[in-house]
Amino acid sequence: MRSPLLLAPVLFLLACGDGKKEAAEQLADTANVPAPWVIDLAPYDVPAVVELGDKATLRVDSATVAWNEEFGHLEVSAGDHFAIRITEDRGDMARLKADMERDMLRKHTVTEESPDLLIYRSQFPDEDLVFVHFYRIIRTHDRTFIVEDDPEGRFNEADIQRMARSVTAQGAI
């Protein structure tokens, strides 16, 4: 009869393993991460790229980039969870905040603020419906652009966070 003390190290090694299986599983998980979906806006005379995230999150296979001649902005959209407007303008965060304070119809609550980004919630006083928006200023070379969500869209906080950080200027200063 074998002593249980002699079998203990063997059982311990079998139970713990050498970590190769865990390492292989971890590598497989990182290999399945989808590549980011990036659109270069240089053909539209905007020195920037838009990273939309992955197609599975947006639940679409294609995006639309269109110049709106009437309003003078570039529209980038992909399904119901991504729609931004990019306008070449100097941007005025102070004016936007002043406009929000003077708004007599809606109550606005700022949830995130930095010198170039404002994320805020808008709500009509008699309704429970809340709209989340963002306004971001991007500078590149000697040009300035305003990036904001499409005001006609209905986005949740995660959508707004993704869209607010989706545009990266090429050659940013």
Side-chain angles (χ1 to χ4, degrees), residues 64-121:
T64 303
V65 180
W67 175 255
N68 186 318
E69 188 69 39
E70 183 179 353
F71 295 109
H73 58 247
L74 189 63
E75 300 169 344
V76 181
S77 62
D80 294 333
H81 298 279
F82 194 99
I84 61 174
R85 297 186 319 188
I86 302 170
T87 309
E88 187 165 3
D89 195 350
R90 64 182 177 87
D92 192 344
M93 197 73 70
R95 188 179 121 232
L96 173 64
K97 289 168 54 178
D99 288 347
M100 288 172 27
E101 287 178 19
R102 286 191 301 267
D103 191 340
M104 296 173 69
L105 294 177
R106 294 171 291 189
K107 177 185 178 209
H108 303 280
T109 306
V110 174
T111 60
E112 185 177 334
E113 182 176 3
S114 71
D116 293 334
L117 174 66
L118 191 69
I119 297 177
Y120 59 98
R121 302 174 78 168

